[in-house]
Amino acid sequence: MDENCKIYSVTELNRIARMTLENGIGEVWVEGEISRLTRHASGHWYFTLKDEAAAVSCAMFKQNNAMVLFHPKDGIKVRVLGQASLYEARGNYQLIAHKMEEAGKGDLQEQFEKLKAKLAAEGLFDADRKKPLPMLPRKIGVVTSPTGAAVRDIINVLTRRFPNLEILLAPVTVQGPTAAKSIAKAIRYLNKVTQASRLHPDERDARATLGIDLLIVGRGGGSLEDLWAFNEEVVARAIAASDIPVISAVGHEIDFTISDFVADLRAPTPSAAAELAVPVQSELENQMTRLAARLGGSLRNRALVLREKIPGFRQSMNQSLRAGLQQRQQRIDEAALRLTHELKNSVTIQKQRLPSLQQSMRHALDSAVKENAQSVMRLKAQLRALSPLGVLDRGYSLTETADGTVVRDATAVKKGDRLKTRFAKGSVTSEILSKE
Amino acid sequence: MSEKTIDFEKSLERLETLVNEMENDELALEEMIKHFEEGSKLVALCSKKLTEVEQKIEKLVKKGDGLSTEAFEAAD
């Protein structure tokens, strides 16, 4: 044995071995099957990770296993992030597990991206699916843990902004393997109660006298694992199916979850969600007061303006009335004047026409008399010309026998007969001396 | 969304429209009076809606098979 050779104690050896393991291998992801899982009363987990050919002891301490998002049991394949180490007291080589995921699912970031892409492809994040938030919610459902800062912040901000508001808290687990299911169930339940209260508004249900207008779903800040429930499909589906508008409020400003994408509105923090949820009541009241004042004011102003115009209106009305009357009076006067004038004129004209009428009447009478006299004379002459005596006048004579028969034929008389001859003036009787 | 909340939002919008129209000086007096009457009703309605709900903070609790509610006091 070499004098210079260092002799190690067992403790020293194990320490060196531990350091060598820890420094040489460090933190690594290891995939294998769980066996002989023991959940110790201390809260720590002990199990073996194995594959077909090998096995390694594992320990997962309480603060780390609280973050595990599923329920590990013997026989399932897991992926463990752990530090290779050595349990010095026994010299046992082991893996101190820090994180554990179900194998085959990919890591959390991968799962997140995969679900996000899937739901986006289904259109669950589309802007046109987003429901508008009510301006004045009267009952707000809050789905979060009943303990912790988030619920306090939400209630404080809500009641500060709008003191008379109904808040219904649905207490849920927001972290760990049961969280997602619990959150989804609460969202569905509050929707069911609200729907029932809408269908039967008269049935005063003690659980919901009034439908819930708005849901705030969320929790305070934490690690990716802490917030994981809000990245699970079951929660996303429950939010998407909610008839009640949902504000998602998970973690801090920088944390984005699937719930945020599906929700109708993403709030950066739970307090911000409460601020987005309700208006400030006093501001609304002020707004109402201002509107009421403007309403009355505008009418009063108009009334004032109109009232000021009234004297002017009255004056111009009187004026126009007077002017109208005057004009009419004038027209009447004018008409009357013209009427009498016309009358006078026509009398004068008639008067003037009278003497000439008389004259022409007399004239007509005269000429009629004269004309008649002439006609009488003319007729007399005609009459005279036509009478036999008239013929005698022209030198002819009329011969009659003694018995008065007019002699037209010499054979009708004989020698010795006496004939009476009439002349125009007087007559003679003569005797026929001979006949030729 | 409940119909009552839609009412408030619509009422407020309508009220603002009425007031703006009245301030435009283009309305006939008759119309203004009608606007005023409608607006006054809306002011009363909206003001009522702002105050009609009473504050209540409850939480769901398991009770037997079903769920019930009880007053919630946030722990400080």
Side-chain angles (χ1 to χ4, degrees), chain A residues 136 138 167 169 281 302, chain B residues 5 20 27 50 52 56 58:
Chain A
L136 188 69
R138 292 138 63 90
I167 300 168
L169 171 68
Q281 190 190 35
R302 173 63 70 89
Chain B
T5 30
N20 287 338
L27 282 186
L50 283 179
E52 68 185 353
K56 202 157 79 176
E58 291 176 314

Side-chain angles (χ1 to χ4, degrees), chain A residues 45-249:
Chain A
W45 292 353
Y46 300 98
F47 55 96
T48 302
L49 208 55
K50 61 174 190 182
D51 59 16
E52 296 78 19
V56 59
S57 298
C58 298
M60 192 170 198
F61 300 123
K62 191 181 169 183
Q63 67 269 29
N64 295 111
N65 68 39
M67 308 283 192
V68 174
L69 302 171
F70 64 100
H71 222 69
K73 35 183 200 225
D74 284 0
I76 68 161
K77 271 200 152 184
V78 293
R79 202 172 283 169
V80 171
L81 176 70
Q83 171 81 53
S85 188
L86 190 98
Y87 182 42
E88 289 178 37
R90 289 182 187 275
N92 281 356
Y93 154 63
Q94 64 176 8
L95 195 67
I96 309 297
H98 296 153
K99 290 185 178 181
M100 185 191 284
E101 292 173 1
E102 280 189 87
K105 277 205 166 178
D107 67 14
L108 291 182
Q109 199 54 45
E110 273 168 20
Q111 286 180 43
F112 177 88
E113 295 300 340
K114 224 164 110 186
L115 181 60
K116 190 178 156 195
K118 177 181 161 189
L119 298 182
E122 284 183 33
L124 256 52
F125 305 158
D126 290 358
D128 59 8
R129 286 193 87 256
K130 308 280 181 207
K131 292 177 281 295
L133 303 190
M135 183 187 183
L136 188 69
R138 292 138 63 90
K139 183 162 187 171
I140 296 185
V142 179
V143 178
T144 191
S145 162
T147 57
V151 69
R152 270 207 320 271
D153 289 349
I154 290 173
I155 289 174
N156 285 344
V157 175
L158 284 180
T159 52
R160 193 182 67 223
R161 288 170 72 86
F162 210 96
N164 51 338
L165 187 71
E166 284 192 41
I167 300 168
L168 179 60
L169 171 68
V172 293
T173 320
V174 290
Q175 162 169 352
T178 56
K181 266 187 194 164
S182 144
I183 295 163
K185 199 174 139 192
I187 294 170
R188 285 195 297 265
Y189 178 77
L190 294 179
N191 267 282
K192 203 175 82 186
V193 175
T194 295
Q195 205 166 31
S197 79
R198 276 182 203 158
L199 288 175
H200 312 286
D202 297 335
E203 283 177 33
R204 292 245 149 187
D205 191 326
R207 291 171 299 184
T209 53
L210 186 69
I212 291 164
D213 296 312
L214 182 64
L215 286 182
I216 297 175
V217 178
R219 55 154 291 153
S223 67
L224 179 61
E225 285 79 6
D226 289 340
L227 310 183
W228 192 250
F230 296 91
N231 285 324
E232 294 219 30
E233 188 165 353
V234 61
V235 173
R237 298 256 175 228
I239 292 174
S242 174
D243 284 330
I244 308 169
V246 175
I247 300 179
S248 166

